[in-house]
Amino acid sequence: MNWTPPDTTATVKPKWSVAIDVPKDLDTINAGTVATGANQVYIFQNGHMLAISAKTGETLWTYGSKLVSPIAYHAGGVYAVSEDGILHAIDAVNGKMKWTTNVKTSGIVGLFVNGDKAYVYNGHVRAFDLKSGALLWTDDYPYEFDLKDIAFANGKILVSTVFSGAYTYDTLLSFDESNGHLAWEAFNESSPLVVNENQILVQQTSNLMSQLEKTTLNTIDLLTGKVVKTVEFKENGKAWIESGRVYIFASGIVYAYPLDADPTKVTRDSYRSDSSYKNYWAGGPDADRILFTDGVNITGSKLVNKSVVYYGSAGAPRASIARFDTFENGLYIAYSDGRLEAKDLITAKRAFVLQMPGRVFGPTQREDGMIIVQSQGRVSAVPEPTY
């Protein structure tokens, strides 16, 4: 077996580390309470927004009061909301207010910026003009909906949600970007796997009343919401698209097909992990490896020869993988005991381990040559290793 021997690389100290506000719910921490951009890290501390140099940890400016997550950076602007539901736009260079909204939106849990609009989500989607902060519209869907994912495509806002009643089913909602009116809704469809100019590719999903036996991908016309093409595969699993291939994770194995080929007329590839692991998730490829995890171990299967690479396990008793993120050849694994371990995806060697105080992590980010790590109550930075 291609086991990696025990790694004794010493735990490193962060280049800098600062305290951040802790949201009341863990989902907000998981989604991330820190934004990065323009060589800076933007955080909340005692209700204020601070801009911190990613390289040095120096506080460059402070803005506002009673500010809370979510937070977003976009094209030289930082966006956040206050406890009273007002959206703030701040100049990332000097920390000066660009605008605030003159309407309040209660219960904001999502914040997105795309094109010339900023969007907030609180059970509905509201759009604000990015230059002035003026309220443009609130979607006209008759009920509140959970937002699982959001995508923007050719004048449409695509919201993936789930509805529950007699049974639970996925739904894809399409809103007109100009006025928030519902354009169409597609039942039992996933969030978009591929977004083209006039079409999207989605995976058809099962529900209690309709159980699929094979992975089915539907091509949907963006204008009408009608299915214009359906492709059925041999396996029954979760699909994703990467680099012109369809990947399907089914029964612990990842299968791969050319995206535009008829699956009945091509030979599929398959990638496996160690058969002793009960993997429940697979993704990639990252650094030409399909990644697998069972919640304790991470392994990779090389695209070139399908050999297995072992990236180690949580190790400590009762520890598990909280999340992991990848950047090019870097793998950053956050464990439930507060460790963040960096590994080389190519060699599987450990680059560093950083001990954080919290057990719940937000997304690992990188900015200006630094790896930015966020957990409950603290954000820390370590120079990005050379892999």
Side-chain angles (χ1 to χ4, degrees):
M1 288 187 177
N2 189 25
W3 287 99
T4 300
D7 200 322
T8 57
T9 304
T11 298
V12 300
K13 292 184 178 180
K15 176 72 177 292
W16 56 262
S17 184
V18 298
I20 58 176
D21 293 342
V22 181
K24 295 179 180 179
D25 63 290
L26 298 183
D27 287 343
T28 301
I29 300 175
N30 287 326
T33 61
V34 170
T36 59
N39 299 331
Q40 297 173 177
V41 181
Y42 309 96
I43 67 167
F44 299 117
Q45 192 177 83
N46 299 319
H48 307 293
M49 181 187 291
L50 277 61
I52 298 172
S53 167
K55 189 74 74 176
T56 67
E58 175 189 1
T59 298
L60 303 176
W61 51 256
T62 302
Y63 171 88
S65 62
K66 297 183 178 180
L67 298 174
V68 294
S69 296
I71 184 172
Y73 171 87
H74 176 79
V78 191
Y79 302 84
V81 298
S82 51
E83 292 178 354
D84 58 1
I86 293 176
L87 178 61
H88 295 245
I90 305 106
D91 190 307
V93 174
N94 55 31
K96 302 296 184 181
M97 181 186 73
K98 298 171 71 173
W99 49 257
T100 60
T101 55
N102 57 11
V103 297
K104 298 178 180 180
T105 306
S106 61
I108 295 174
V109 293
L111 171 58
F112 315 94
V113 183
N114 183 73
D116 58 358
K117 298 180 183 66
Y119 302 89
V120 297
Y121 164 76
N122 70 338
H124 286 280
V125 174
R126 272 188 161 182
F128 297 89
D129 181 78
L130 203 58
K131 291 184 178 179
S132 66
L135 174 64
L136 300 176
W137 51 257
T138 301
D139 76 70
D140 63 354
Y141 200 74
Y143 314 106
E144 289 191 352
F145 50 85
D146 291 329
L147 190 151
K148 294 170 56 182
D149 196 11
I150 189 168
F152 302 89
N154 196 22
K156 295 291 188 292
I157 303 170
L158 304 171
V159 173
S160 177
T161 185
V162 59
F163 291 112
S164 297
Y167 58 93
T168 300
Y169 57 96
D170 296 318
T171 299
L172 186 62
L173 304 176
S174 174
F175 296 102
D176 193 308
E177 190 180 86
S178 64
N179 55 27
H181 293 169
L182 181 69
W184 48 263
E185 56 186 318
F187 302 107
N188 303 313
E189 304 287 11
S190 72
S191 56
L193 305 179
V194 173
V195 175
N196 295 318
E197 184 176 355
N198 298 311
Q199 296 178 334
I200 58 173
L201 185 66
V202 299
Q203 180 174 359
Q204 188 174 335
T205 59
S206 295
N207 61 60
L208 181 64
M209 305 301 292
S210 176
Q211 293 290 321
L212 298 176
E213 295 182 353
K214 296 182 179 181
T215 298
T216 304
L217 300 187
N218 290 330
T219 300
I220 294 179
D221 183 275
L222 264 176
L223 181 63
T224 65
K226 301 296 184 182
V227 175
V228 296
K229 181 181 178 181
T230 296
V231 178
E232 194 174 77
F233 295 82
K234 299 175 183 178
E235 305 78 24
N236 184 12
K238 184 174 178 58
W240 71 96
I241 311 296
E242 183 65 38
S243 302
R245 301 180 91 192
V246 179
Y247 293 93
I248 300 172
F249 180 51
S251 301
I253 302 171
V254 171
Y255 300 93
Y257 297 84
L259 176 58
D260 296 323
D262 182 340
T264 65
K265 297 180 180 180
V266 296
T267 301
R268 65 184 182 182
D269 274 328
S270 61
Y271 304 92
R272 290 168 168 80
S273 174
D274 189 310
S275 60
S276 66
Y277 299 154
K278 298 184 183 300
N279 294 305
Y280 65 83
W281 181 93
D286 293 282
D288 292 328
R289 283 129 171 84
I290 300 295
L291 299 180
F292 298 84
T293 185
D294 62 357
V296 176
N297 305 277
I298 296 180
T299 55
S301 178
K302 296 180 182 179
L303 295 185
V304 65
N305 59 16
K306 303 181 183 179
S307 63
V308 177
V309 182
Y310 294 84
Y311 296 107
S313 68
R318 294 182 296 279
S320 60
I321 296 170
R323 65 173 301 129
F324 66 87
D325 301 276
T326 60
F327 301 110
E328 297 177 357
N329 290 344
L331 171 64
Y332 301 89
I333 312 168
Y335 295 106
S336 59
D337 60 1
R339 288 175 296 141
L340 188 287
E341 183 176 36
K343 287 207 164 183
D344 188 325
L345 277 166
I346 302 298
T347 66
K349 291 182 178 179
R350 179 198 291 178
F352 67 79
V353 171
L354 178 67
Q355 186 66 49
M356 297 292 287
R359 294 173 176 268
V360 181
F361 288 79
T364 299
Q365 302 181 54
R366 66 173 178 173
E367 184 71 22
D368 196 20
M370 304 295 286
I371 297 299
I372 311 300
V373 183
Q374 53 180 315
S375 71
Q376 287 166 295
R378 186 155 293 271
V379 60
S380 301
V382 177
E384 183 173 12
T386 301
Y387 295 108

